[in-house]
Amino acid sequence: GAVVSQHPSWVICKSGTSVKIECRSLDFQATTMFWYRQFPKQSLMLMATSNEGSKATYEQGVEKDKFLINHASLTLSTLTVTSAHPEDSSFYICSARGDRDFNEQFFGPGTRLTVL
Amino acid sequence: QKEVEQNSGPLSVPEGAIASLNCTYSDRGSQSFFWYRQYSGKSPELIMSIYSNGDKEDGRFTAQLNKASQYVSLLIRDSQPSDSATYLCAVTSGLTGGGNKLTFGTGTQLKVEL
């Protein structure tokens, strides 16, 4: 149980294009999903908290117009990186809060974004 | 002061030994504590959660929590080469409405040597 998938696992794009990353909870309903970013040799940094049916809550310093989050159903949240630039290249990881223990978060496998 | 602090390591232990990983946190109101394992290039995997003072054991893993000292640790018994990874300590906010946000430490790299 508590399996989270992400798609794509990696993506390479040109500067200025937009990239959409999907996060799905496969065997449970996730009312809350989280989006993280991790740069090499650094820890995970929370970007935003996504609640089903409502606007995402962004952490300080994260541009909401650049990182668009949609959580339209209890099993799917998407992160769109708009007008991507090389400095957006990173490892993006989503997590979903479990439905049995609301304190536990289960992570997707991550998406490695490279912007040329 | 960092909210969650860990020694970055690397911590090297011989195969079969006990590995001891430590973490301190600054928010005295923190309620929930987690240990995640992260292999290079992969996403974190939940190993242990602990919510009350004392020890919690699961197989070869034991988590220890001391809220008075704001300290949480992870012991790995009979360490195996496959345990070589970065171990992340994570803490949820003690703030009401914090939304169960996790704050991660920078992780301790563990190397189990043959």
Side-chain angles (χ1 to χ4, degrees), chain B residues 57-71:
Chain B
E57 186 175 319
D58 184 1
R60 295 188 295 114
F61 300 100
T62 299
Q64 299 174 318
L65 175 61
N66 184 325
K67 289 187 178 181
S69 300
Q70 295 175 238
Y71 174 93

Side-chain angles (χ1 to χ4, degrees), chain A residues 19-94:
Chain A
V19 175
K20 179 186 281 189
I21 302 170
E22 293 186 348
C23 176
R24 294 181 184 273
S25 57
L26 297 184
D27 53 358
F28 66 102
Q29 294 183 329
T31 54
T32 303
M33 291 184 173
F34 303 85
W35 286 95
Y36 295 84
R37 180 168 53 182
Q38 186 176 36
F39 293 106
K41 304 293 186 184
Q42 295 186 25
S43 192
L44 281 77
M45 295 301 296
L46 179 65
M47 299 175 66
T49 301
S50 168
N51 290 297
E52 185 266 336
S54 63
K55 291 184 178 180
T57 302
Y58 291 81
E59 295 299 299
Q60 191 172 12
V62 178
E63 299 176 59
K64 62 181 180 180
D65 294 330
K66 181 170 183 63
F67 299 99
L68 301 179
I69 292 173
N70 184 282
H71 193 159
S73 77
L74 287 171
T75 60
L76 174 65
S77 177
T78 60
L79 167 68
T80 301
V81 183
T82 62
S83 187
H85 291 283
E87 57 266 30
D88 297 323
S89 298
S90 188
F91 192 39
Y92 291 86
I93 313 172
C94 72

Side-chain angles (χ1 to χ4, degrees), chain B residues 44-107:
Chain B
E45 172 190 8
L46 180 64
I47 297 176
M48 293 281 288
S49 59
I50 186 166
Y51 306 119
S52 56
N53 282 328
D55 295 0
K56 179 182 178 182
E57 186 175 319
D58 184 1
R60 295 188 295 114
F61 300 100
T62 299
Q64 299 174 318
L65 175 61
N66 184 325
K67 289 187 178 181
S69 300
Q70 295 175 238
Y71 174 93
V72 59
S73 66
L74 179 70
L75 300 177
I76 306 175
R77 289 181 298 282
D78 188 23
S79 295
Q80 301 297 310
S82 58
D83 294 327
S84 298
T86 296
Y87 289 80
L88 302 170
C89 173
V91 176
T92 55
S93 169
L95 295 173
T96 300
N100 302 109
K101 294 194 298 185
L102 286 175
T103 300
F104 283 88
T106 53

